[in-house]
Amino acid sequence: MNKTRQIKQRSTLALFLFTLLWVGLVTRLGWIQVVATHHFSDHDVDLVKSAVKQREQTIKLSSGRGEILDKDGMSLTGKEQRVLAVFPLARKNLLDEKAFTELARLIGQPEQGLRKQLQMAKQPEIVRDEKGESVRLTTGQMAQINQLELPGIVAITVAERYQENEIAKQVIGYIHQSPELVKERYLQEWKANQMTLATQVGASGLEKSFDRFLQGVEPDELSYYVDGQGHLLRGLDLRHHAGHNQFYPLSVKTTLDRAIQEQLEQVADESGLNEGAIVVLDVTNADIVAMVSRPQFDPTKLQASDASWQNHATKQLAPGSVFKTVVAAAALGEGIVSPTDRFLCEGEYGKFGFSCWNKAGHGSITLEEAFAESCNIAFAKIASQVGGDTIAAYAERFGLGAEVGHVTAALFKQEQFRQISGEEAGRVFSPTVSREDEGVLIQTAIGQRDVRMTPLQAANMMVTIANGGHVYQPRLVSHILYRNGGNFFTFESKPSQAKGIDLVTAYKLRRMMRQVVEKGTGKLLQEAKWSVAGKSGTAETEKNGEPRNHQWFVGYAPADEPRYAIAVVAENRQNGSSHLATKLFKSVVDHLAFHDHTVSLGGTAGASLPK
């Protein structure tokens, strides 16, 4: 009897537990389906959207990311292209030989290659040719393809953010998918389910510095809905999801002149500039008119080991004799040396193995002549008189040794917002050496040893000299705009915190820089279409253990009424090779002169200089 009772009690307990478990499961399922449908788990997952997503095959026509514009509001990103999109469900079209053959004929691609791409497609994608480039269509081809009504194959217009032949690529930068960066920059947005770990973020250039403003809100998408076997669901045809927000995404309007940028990139390539940079600033306010960086960079084919994305215009390197401009400014500004003071150059300094490039020596030479001829011995002696602390102080007056690009104290959750991503600060002396060590000092005087300067800093130094000693912050972006064209934020031109130099010193430097062209190392520039004032430089360096030179020329034009400040650097040139930077500087000036003349006559800004 007791045994029977125990069995009943156990059965009742098991039934009770089973019932409790069942009620718990039903309650949980009910909670998920009714209450937590749109906010499931700690990750706040929307189950409805996730379920739909599993049935959805989608291709983005546009990421919804904001555009980067030139100074006239023309897009530097996101050019629209007519292409052919294929969805995985299109594989069944392979059975229709006639229709498939007609499709291959219409797009001018081998039938076998197209068939293979359809077979391999695991997600919606753009049809590409043998080179991996998207197959471009005409409006006529689009109409004919869509008239075939092949499920999963559609001719569409997409906004490809980057084009192979686009300009200012290192300035613009690139975006990529990085869960780590999403968590680092947008942790709150990710936790609030406003962003996913798959969101593309800016990795370099303006894409990085303005990423928070360029982030899209509503991508433009084309979708098919399929069943578990990938077959098209009846009643759910091709759906187009387009964003309708009139204010977002925001766009970034730069100070870049598209016509000048295009011309100078062409000049750089035609001259054989394989590694280096060209910077052109507006003398009146240091706005960046053009910024060219080489080697070439293709953001659509970026490799992990590829460093071509780096902007050489903002990378620091030894400036060579360009730095003599700072030494001369210190000597003149402090009244230690006058332009007519004389120094004896016999080709050798007498110790440290230091010599002049002119082995025979320049003889008795004034400061003005030494600057024009770029005499090392004279500037070693001048540096010894001026002293390391004073040289460092005058470098700081020009803004050297710090990032010079435009900075905003506070801009929407971002403190000390810098427009130019990845800008390097440069330096004069290493903190580990004595500024009064004579060996260190004379090497510093000629822009060697520890001295580093970016092409952007060098061009900005020319702005300071050309406009009477005032230092500005080079501005790359003038406005952030709403989608409807309204103004979201304006970046005003602004002076730098650097002290600059006095008007008299600036005037003396301008005279000396003009002598460089008239009587010194820049005589080639006498043939330029505008008069030029500037300073050449050749810095000794090494690459892969081999001796190389960084060749510089910096200056402004026209010499009497400056409009543009220019810095050109050709990196890692072989010893003994011709001075490419000077030749390239002349070409830059000629194109700027032709551009301004053409615009003044009402012509096309992008017209090319006659050969």
Side-chain angles (χ1 to χ4, degrees), residues 512-549:
M512 289 166 58
M513 291 173 67
R514 183 65 185 137
Q515 290 298 306
V516 170
V517 176
E518 291 184 348
K519 299 180 180 180
T521 57
K523 289 180 181 178
L524 173 67
L525 296 169
Q526 294 176 11
E527 302 172 7
K529 294 186 179 299
W530 273 341
S531 59
V532 172
K535 183 71 186 82
S536 63
T538 303
E540 296 177 357
T541 186
E542 285 188 356
K543 183 176 184 180
N544 300 324
E546 296 292 328
R548 291 288 186 269
N549 289 327

mmCIF file of all heavy atoms in Angstrom, residues 512-549:
data_model
loop_
_atom_site.group_PDB
_atom_site.id
_atom_site.type_symbol
_atom_site.label_atom_id
_atom_site.label_comp_id
_atom_site.label_asym_id
_atom_site.label_seq_id
_atom_site.Cartn_x
_atom_site.Cartn_y
_atom_site.Cartn_z
ATOM 1 N N MET A 512 64.848 87.889 -49.957
ATOM 2 C CA MET A 512 65.844 86.823 -50.054
ATOM 3 C C MET A 512 65.305 85.645 -50.868
ATOM 4 O O MET A 512 66.038 85.032 -51.656
ATOM 5 C CB MET A 512 66.268 86.371 -48.655
ATOM 6 C CG MET A 512 67.118 87.419 -47.931
ATOM 7 S SD MET A 512 67.312 87.114 -46.147
ATOM 8 C CE MET A 512 68.043 85.499 -46.153
ATOM 9 N N MET A 513 64.029 85.344 -50.696
ATOM 10 C CA MET A 513 63.433 84.233 -51.446
ATOM 11 C C MET A 513 63.312 84.574 -52.927
ATOM 12 O O MET A 513 63.389 83.695 -53.781
ATOM 13 C CB MET A 513 62.060 83.887 -50.845
ATOM 14 C CG MET A 513 62.155 83.267 -49.456
ATOM 15 S SD MET A 513 60.558 83.045 -48.651
ATOM 16 C CE MET A 513 59.829 81.814 -49.700
ATOM 17 N N ARG A 514 63.154 85.843 -53.208
ATOM 18 C CA ARG A 514 63.127 86.252 -54.628
ATOM 19 C C ARG A 514 64.509 86.095 -55.255
ATOM 20 O O ARG A 514 64.643 85.695 -56.418
ATOM 21 C CB ARG A 514 62.665 87.720 -54.717
ATOM 22 C CG ARG A 514 62.518 88.227 -56.140
ATOM 23 C CD ARG A 514 61.436 87.512 -56.898
ATOM 24 N NE ARG A 514 61.404 87.931 -58.299
ATOM 25 C CZ ARG A 514 61.257 87.131 -59.327
ATOM 26 N NH1 ARG A 514 61.136 85.814 -59.134
ATOM 27 N NH2 ARG A 514 61.228 87.587 -60.556
ATOM 28 N N GLN A 515 65.561 86.338 -54.448
ATOM 29 C CA GLN A 515 66.934 86.186 -54.931
ATOM 30 C C GLN A 515 67.269 84.723 -55.243
ATOM 31 O O GLN A 515 68.109 84.433 -56.089
ATOM 32 C CB GLN A 515 67.914 86.727 -53.881
ATOM 33 C CG GLN A 515 67.892 88.232 -53.715
ATOM 34 C CD GLN A 515 68.304 88.959 -54.996
ATOM 35 O OE1 GLN A 515 69.360 88.701 -55.555
ATOM 36 N NE2 GLN A 515 67.442 89.850 -55.469
ATOM 37 N N VAL A 516 66.616 83.781 -54.542
ATOM 38 C CA VAL A 516 66.814 82.353 -54.826
ATOM 39 C C VAL A 516 66.495 82.060 -56.290
ATOM 40 O O VAL A 516 67.196 81.292 -56.963
ATOM 41 C CB VAL A 516 65.922 81.484 -53.898
ATOM 42 C CG1 VAL A 516 65.945 80.022 -54.345
ATOM 43 C CG2 VAL A 516 66.380 81.607 -52.450
ATOM 44 N N VAL A 517 65.435 82.695 -56.800
ATOM 45 C CA VAL A 517 65.013 82.482 -58.186
ATOM 46 C C VAL A 517 65.834 83.323 -59.152
ATOM 47 O O VAL A 517 66.206 82.867 -60.236
ATOM 48 C CB VAL A 517 63.503 82.790 -58.340
ATOM 49 C CG1 VAL A 517 63.069 82.660 -59.793
ATOM 50 C CG2 VAL A 517 62.682 81.872 -57.442
ATOM 51 N N GLU A 518 66.141 84.529 -58.766
ATOM 52 C CA GLU A 518 66.849 85.428 -59.686
ATOM 53 C C GLU A 518 68.336 85.089 -59.818
ATOM 54 O O GLU A 518 68.917 85.216 -60.899
ATOM 55 C CB GLU A 518 66.684 86.875 -59.216
ATOM 56 C CG GLU A 518 65.257 87.383 -59.382
ATOM 57 C CD GLU A 518 65.134 88.847 -59.010
ATOM 58 O OE1 GLU A 518 66.090 89.413 -58.415
ATOM 59 O OE2 GLU A 518 64.072 89.439 -59.306
ATOM 60 N N LYS A 519 68.969 84.633 -58.713
ATOM 61 C CA LYS A 519 70.418 84.432 -58.751
ATOM 62 C C LYS A 519 70.889 83.105 -58.164
ATOM 63 O O LYS A 519 72.080 82.793 -58.238
ATOM 64 C CB LYS A 519 71.117 85.562 -57.984
ATOM 65 C CG LYS A 519 70.876 86.944 -58.551
ATOM 66 C CD LYS A 519 71.594 88.006 -57.724
ATOM 67 C CE LYS A 519 71.352 89.401 -58.276
ATOM 68 N NZ LYS A 519 72.051 90.452 -57.456
ATOM 69 N N GLY A 520 69.999 82.337 -57.579
ATOM 70 C CA GLY A 520 70.427 81.163 -56.835
ATOM 71 C C GLY A 520 69.981 79.831 -57.381
ATOM 72 O O GLY A 520 69.923 79.619 -58.598
ATOM 73 N N THR A 521 69.614 78.930 -56.472
ATOM 74 C CA THR A 521 69.324 77.534 -56.828
ATOM 75 C C THR A 521 67.998 77.359 -57.551
ATOM 76 O O THR A 521 67.704 76.268 -58.030
ATOM 77 C CB THR A 521 69.314 76.667 -55.553
ATOM 78 O OG1 THR A 521 68.354 77.205 -54.628
ATOM 79 C CG2 THR A 521 70.699 76.630 -54.905
ATOM 80 N N GLY A 522 67.185 78.429 -57.637
ATOM 81 C CA GLY A 522 65.879 78.314 -58.291
ATOM 82 C C GLY A 522 65.791 79.029 -59.618
ATOM 83 O O GLY A 522 64.700 79.439 -60.037
ATOM 84 N N LYS A 523 66.925 79.182 -60.309
ATOM 85 C CA LYS A 523 66.941 79.933 -61.577
ATOM 86 C C LYS A 523 65.989 79.360 -62.624
ATOM 87 O O LYS A 523 65.472 80.090 -63.470
ATOM 88 C CB LYS A 523 68.362 79.968 -62.140
ATOM 89 C CG LYS A 523 69.322 80.851 -61.361
ATOM 90 C CD LYS A 523 70.712 80.829 -61.986
ATOM 91 C CE LYS A 523 71.687 81.684 -61.198
ATOM 92 N NZ LYS A 523 73.061 81.626 -61.760
ATOM 93 N N LEU A 524 65.773 78.046 -62.565
ATOM 94 C CA LEU A 524 64.853 77.411 -63.514
ATOM 95 C C LEU A 524 63.477 78.080 -63.495
ATOM 96 O O LEU A 524 62.784 78.154 -64.517
ATOM 97 C CB LEU A 524 64.716 75.922 -63.189
ATOM 98 C CG LEU A 524 63.668 75.127 -63.969
ATOM 99 C CD1 LEU A 524 64.061 75.036 -65.443
ATOM 100 C CD2 LEU A 524 63.493 73.730 -63.385
ATOM 101 N N LEU A 525 63.110 78.609 -62.330
ATOM 102 C CA LEU A 525 61.770 79.181 -62.170
ATOM 103 C C LEU A 525 61.631 80.568 -62.777
ATOM 104 O O LEU A 525 60.540 81.144 -62.784
ATOM 105 C CB LEU A 525 61.411 79.222 -60.681
ATOM 106 C CG LEU A 525 61.304 77.828 -60.038
ATOM 107 C CD1 LEU A 525 61.216 77.926 -58.536
ATOM 108 C CD2 LEU A 525 60.103 77.070 -60.593
ATOM 109 N N GLN A 526 62.719 81.107 -63.303
ATOM 110 C CA GLN A 526 62.623 82.364 -64.030
ATOM 111 C C GLN A 526 61.760 82.212 -65.281
ATOM 112 O O GLN A 526 61.214 83.185 -65.793
ATOM 113 C CB GLN A 526 64.024 82.857 -64.429
ATOM 114 C CG GLN A 526 64.902 83.251 -63.262
ATOM 115 C CD GLN A 526 66.313 83.634 -63.689
ATOM 116 O OE1 GLN A 526 66.583 83.791 -64.879
ATOM 117 N NE2 GLN A 526 67.218 83.781 -62.729
ATOM 118 N N GLU A 527 61.628 80.974 -65.767
ATOM 119 C CA GLU A 527 60.850 80.697 -66.970
ATOM 120 C C GLU A 527 59.370 80.452 -66.676
ATOM 121 O O GLU A 527 58.580 80.234 -67.597
ATOM 122 C CB GLU A 527 61.437 79.478 -67.687
ATOM 123 C CG GLU A 527 62.907 79.629 -68.068
ATOM 124 C CD GLU A 527 63.497 78.328 -68.591
ATOM 125 O OE1 GLU A 527 62.723 77.363 -68.784
ATOM 126 O OE2 GLU A 527 64.720 78.281 -68.799
ATOM 127 N N ALA A 528 58.997 80.484 -65.395
ATOM 128 C CA ALA A 528 57.599 80.237 -65.033
ATOM 129 C C ALA A 528 56.709 81.375 -65.521
ATOM 130 O O ALA A 528 57.158 82.507 -65.722
ATOM 131 C CB ALA A 528 57.474 80.078 -63.522
ATOM 132 N N LYS A 529 55.424 81.088 -65.702
ATOM 133 C CA LYS A 529 54.475 82.069 -66.235
ATOM 134 C C LYS A 529 54.146 83.165 -65.220
ATOM 135 O O LYS A 529 53.620 84.212 -65.587
ATOM 136 C CB LYS A 529 53.197 81.366 -66.691
ATOM 137 C CG LYS A 529 53.440 80.440 -67.875
ATOM 138 C CD LYS A 529 52.145 79.854 -68.409
ATOM 139 C CE LYS A 529 52.411 78.943 -69.605
ATOM 140 N NZ LYS A 529 53.030 79.662 -70.740
ATOM 141 N N TRP A 530 54.412 82.913 -63.960
ATOM 142 C CA TRP A 530 54.324 83.936 -62.928
ATOM 143 C C TRP A 530 55.702 84.110 -62.306
ATOM 144 O O TRP A 530 56.504 83.164 -62.293
ATOM 145 C CB TRP A 530 53.356 83.507 -61.824
ATOM 146 C CG TRP A 530 51.925 83.856 -62.049
ATOM 147 C CD1 TRP A 530 51.416 84.782 -62.902
ATOM 148 C CD2 TRP A 530 50.805 83.272 -61.371
ATOM 149 N NE1 TRP A 530 50.047 84.822 -62.813
ATOM 150 C CE2 TRP A 530 49.642 83.903 -61.871
ATOM 151 C CE3 TRP A 530 50.655 82.300 -60.402
ATOM 152 C CZ2 TRP A 530 48.359 83.591 -61.436
ATOM 153 C CZ3 TRP A 530 49.387 81.975 -59.951
ATOM 154 C CH2 TRP A 530 48.246 82.610 -60.474
ATOM 155 N N SER A 531 55.976 85.274 -61.762
ATOM 156 C CA SER A 531 57.206 85.453 -60.981
ATOM 157 C C SER A 531 57.088 84.645 -59.690
ATOM 158 O O SER A 531 55.999 84.520 -59.127
ATOM 159 C CB SER A 531 57.420 86.936 -60.659
ATOM 160 O OG SER A 531 56.320 87.440 -59.917
ATOM 161 N N VAL A 532 58.204 84.109 -59.244
ATOM 162 C CA VAL A 532 58.193 83.174 -58.119
ATOM 163 C C VAL A 532 59.216 83.589 -57.069
ATOM 164 O O VAL A 532 60.291 84.107 -57.412
ATOM 165 C CB VAL A 532 58.515 81.743 -58.600
ATOM 166 C CG1 VAL A 532 58.692 80.785 -57.423
ATOM 167 C CG2 VAL A 532 57.422 81.230 -59.531
ATOM 168 N N ALA A 533 58.903 83.375 -55.802
ATOM 169 C CA ALA A 533 59.859 83.497 -54.705
ATOM 170 C C ALA A 533 59.802 82.188 -53.922
ATOM 171 O O ALA A 533 58.713 81.633 -53.720
ATOM 172 C CB ALA A 533 59.508 84.672 -53.801
ATOM 173 N N GLY A 534 60.955 81.689 -53.496
ATOM 174 C CA GLY A 534 60.907 80.411 -52.794
ATOM 175 C C GLY A 534 62.245 79.969 -52.261
ATOM 176 O O GLY A 534 63.209 80.727 -52.224
ATOM 177 N N LYS A 535 62.288 78.693 -51.856
ATOM 178 C CA LYS A 535 63.515 78.110 -51.314
ATOM 179 C C LYS A 535 63.563 76.640 -51.676
ATOM 180 O O LYS A 535 62.581 75.912 -51.526
ATOM 181 C CB LYS A 535 63.557 78.247 -49.782
ATOM 182 C CG LYS A 535 64.850 77.716 -49.161
ATOM 183 C CD LYS A 535 66.020 78.623 -49.476
ATOM 184 C CE LYS A 535 67.343 78.031 -48.984
ATOM 185 N NZ LYS A 535 67.885 77.028 -49.931
ATOM 186 N N SER A 536 64.724 76.211 -52.160
ATOM 187 C CA SER A 536 64.933 74.801 -52.493
ATOM 188 C C SER A 536 65.494 74.062 -51.282
ATOM 189 O O SER A 536 65.982 74.668 -50.321
ATOM 190 C CB SER A 536 65.906 74.669 -53.666
ATOM 191 O OG SER A 536 67.178 75.191 -53.305
ATOM 192 N N GLY A 537 65.443 72.759 -51.335
ATOM 193 C CA GLY A 537 66.014 71.943 -50.264
ATOM 194 C C GLY A 537 66.291 70.539 -50.762
ATOM 195 O O GLY A 537 65.541 70.014 -51.597
ATOM 196 N N THR A 538 67.363 69.946 -50.280
ATOM 197 C CA THR A 538 67.680 68.549 -50.582
ATOM 198 C C THR A 538 68.138 67.894 -49.285
ATOM 199 O O THR A 538 69.177 68.278 -48.731
ATOM 200 C CB THR A 538 68.788 68.436 -51.646
ATOM 201 O OG1 THR A 538 68.382 69.123 -52.830
ATOM 202 C CG2 THR A 538 69.061 66.976 -51.979
ATOM 203 N N ALA A 539 67.358 66.957 -48.782
ATOM 204 C CA ALA A 539 67.666 66.306 -47.510
ATOM 205 C C ALA A 539 68.188 64.897 -47.757
ATOM 206 O O ALA A 539 67.606 64.120 -48.521
ATOM 207 C CB ALA A 539 66.411 66.240 -46.640
ATOM 208 N N GLU A 540 69.308 64.585 -47.111
ATOM 209 C CA GLU A 540 69.895 63.254 -47.234
ATOM 210 C C GLU A 540 69.129 62.273 -46.347
ATOM 211 O O GLU A 540 68.811 62.574 -45.202
ATOM 212 C CB GLU A 540 71.369 63.284 -46.835
ATOM 213 C CG GLU A 540 72.229 64.144 -47.737
ATOM 214 C CD GLU A 540 73.678 64.203 -47.279
ATOM 215 O OE1 GLU A 540 73.981 63.612 -46.222
ATOM 216 O OE2 GLU A 540 74.504 64.832 -47.970
ATOM 217 N N THR A 541 68.849 61.102 -46.903
ATOM 218 C CA THR A 541 68.122 60.085 -46.152
ATOM 219 C C THR A 541 68.515 58.703 -46.672
ATOM 220 O O THR A 541 69.410 58.583 -47.515
ATOM 221 C CB THR A 541 66.593 60.303 -46.274
ATOM 222 O OG1 THR A 541 65.906 59.391 -45.418
ATOM 223 C CG2 THR A 541 66.120 60.108 -47.714
ATOM 224 N N GLU A 542 67.852 57.673 -46.182
ATOM 225 C CA GLU A 542 68.091 56.302 -46.642
ATOM 226 C C GLU A 542 66.762 55.588 -46.840
ATOM 227 O O GLU A 542 65.788 55.881 -46.158
ATOM 228 C CB GLU A 542 68.927 55.513 -45.629
ATOM 229 C CG GLU A 542 70.394 55.858 -45.595
ATOM 230 C CD GLU A 542 71.193 54.903 -44.718
ATOM 231 O OE1 GLU A 542 70.582 54.016 -44.089
ATOM 232 O OE2 GLU A 542 72.429 55.044 -44.658
ATOM 233 N N LYS A 543 66.772 54.664 -47.789
ATOM 234 C CA LYS A 543 65.620 53.795 -47.996
ATOM 235 C C LYS A 543 66.136 52.395 -48.306
ATOM 236 O O LYS A 543 66.889 52.205 -49.253
ATOM 237 C CB LYS A 543 64.738 54.303 -49.147
ATOM 238 C CG LYS A 543 63.477 53.462 -49.350
ATOM 239 C CD LYS A 543 62.574 54.051 -50.427
ATOM 240 C CE LYS A 543 61.286 53.243 -50.545
ATOM 241 N NZ LYS A 543 60.394 53.794 -51.584
ATOM 242 N N ASN A 544 65.749 51.462 -47.456
ATOM 243 C CA ASN A 544 66.212 50.074 -47.579
ATOM 244 C C ASN A 544 67.742 49.988 -47.600
ATOM 245 O O ASN A 544 68.336 49.215 -48.346
ATOM 246 C CB ASN A 544 65.640 49.420 -48.850
ATOM 247 C CG ASN A 544 64.128 49.383 -48.854
ATOM 248 O OD1 ASN A 544 63.502 49.208 -47.816
ATOM 249 N ND2 ASN A 544 63.530 49.575 -50.026
ATOM 250 N N GLY A 545 68.377 50.848 -46.777
ATOM 251 C CA GLY A 545 69.821 50.829 -46.670
ATOM 252 C C GLY A 545 70.557 51.556 -47.775
ATOM 253 O O GLY A 545 71.792 51.640 -47.757
ATOM 254 N N GLU A 546 69.817 52.105 -48.741
ATOM 255 C CA GLU A 546 70.431 52.812 -49.867
ATOM 256 C C GLU A 546 70.289 54.324 -49.675
ATOM 257 O O GLU A 546 69.244 54.799 -49.234
ATOM 258 C CB GLU A 546 69.761 52.415 -51.183
ATOM 259 C CG GLU A 546 69.940 50.949 -51.571
ATOM 260 C CD GLU A 546 71.383 50.620 -51.924
ATOM 261 O OE1 GLU A 546 72.081 51.512 -52.459
ATOM 262 O OE2 GLU A 546 71.814 49.484 -51.659
ATOM 263 N N PRO A 547 71.363 55.098 -49.991
ATOM 264 C CA PRO A 547 71.268 56.555 -49.849
ATOM 265 C C PRO A 547 70.257 57.151 -50.821
ATOM 266 O O PRO A 547 70.214 56.784 -51.991
ATOM 267 C CB PRO A 547 72.692 57.033 -50.157
ATOM 268 C CG PRO A 547 73.291 55.942 -50.988
ATOM 269 C CD PRO A 547 72.673 54.669 -50.496
ATOM 270 N N ARG A 548 69.438 58.050 -50.320
ATOM 271 C CA ARG A 548 68.413 58.710 -51.123
ATOM 272 C C ARG A 548 68.324 60.178 -50.716
ATOM 273 O O ARG A 548 68.871 60.600 -49.693
ATOM 274 C CB ARG A 548 67.040 58.039 -50.926
ATOM 275 C CG ARG A 548 66.933 56.640 -51.522
ATOM 276 C CD ARG A 548 66.875 56.692 -53.034
ATOM 277 N NE ARG A 548 66.631 55.396 -53.626
ATOM 278 C CZ ARG A 548 67.563 54.542 -53.994
ATOM 279 N NH1 ARG A 548 68.844 54.852 -53.785
ATOM 280 N NH2 ARG A 548 67.260 53.392 -54.538
ATOM 281 N N ASN A 549 67.593 60.967 -51.484
ATOM 282 C CA ASN A 549 67.367 62.379 -51.190
ATOM 283 C C ASN A 549 65.876 62.692 -51.213
ATOM 284 O O ASN A 549 65.137 62.181 -52.058
ATOM 285 C CB ASN A 549 68.057 63.281 -52.227
ATOM 286 C CG ASN A 549 69.566 63.272 -52.109
ATOM 287 O OD1 ASN A 549 70.095 63.149 -51.018
ATOM 288 N ND2 ASN A 549 70.250 63.386 -53.240
#
